[in-house]
Amino acid sequence: VQLQASGGGLVQPGGSLRLSCGSDEPISRINVMGWYRQAPGKQRELVAKSTTDSRTKYADSVKGRFTISRDDAKNTLSLQMNSLKLEDAAVYYCYAGFGCSHFDCVADYWGQGTQVTVSS
């Protein structure tokens, strides 16, 4: 599975960005899709996940600010990020999982990452 993330950039604190992830596989067939992020010197962490039956899971740090969504017609996974904070700055990676039980999958695929910079 090839994943292509886009939409990163520079934004001021309090601003918004929308990340998108395209796939060469129909996303309707991808059990779990999501976004992870990795800041310098830190481990990669979950941001949000979405299942084919519309269940979602968010990191506590982004609840109420970020929204993950799938558009099967456009074959795109999106992450709407509002009220961005300095600590949201990271490289954001698109994720696809197969063979999943709830949100835990046995086959993981990753996109190349897109940089989100939050700075005044």
Side-chain angles (χ1 to χ4, degrees):
V1 177
Q2 300 292 322
L3 302 171
Q4 182 71 37
S6 61
L10 172 64
V11 64
Q12 292 184 339
S16 298
L17 278 176
R18 187 176 182 86
L19 304 183
S20 296
C21 176
S23 169
D24 62 346
E25 288 286 324
I27 66 169
S28 59
R29 299 180 184 176
I30 301 177
N31 301 148
V32 175
M33 294 195 76
W35 294 94
Y36 283 72
R37 67 187 181 189
Q38 187 168 17
K42 294 188 177 181
Q43 290 189 333
R44 188 174 298 189
E45 64 177 2
L46 171 70
V47 176
K49 285 184 175 180
S50 168
T51 67
T52 50
D53 59 355
S54 302
R55 288 176 292 140
T56 57
K57 179 179 182 178
Y58 292 92
D60 288 343
S61 59
V62 307
K63 283 181 181 176
R65 299 188 297 122
F66 291 11
T67 303
I68 189 170
S69 60
R70 296 184 179 217
D71 187 331
D72 289 352
K74 295 182 179 179
N75 208 44
T76 300
L77 176 76
S78 297
L79 183 69
Q80 179 65 42
M81 305 187 294
N82 298 329
S83 303
L84 281 159
K85 302 177 180 180
L86 293 173
E87 53 264 40
D88 293 320
V91 177
Y92 283 69
Y93 296 91
C94 181
Y95 163 87
F98 295 86
C100 306
S101 175
H102 300 289
F103 292 100
D104 297 321
C105 307
V106 297
D108 302 327
Y109 295 86
W110 300 92
Q112 86 288 2
T114 185
Q115 178 72 51
V116 172
T117 302
V118 184
S119 175
S120 56

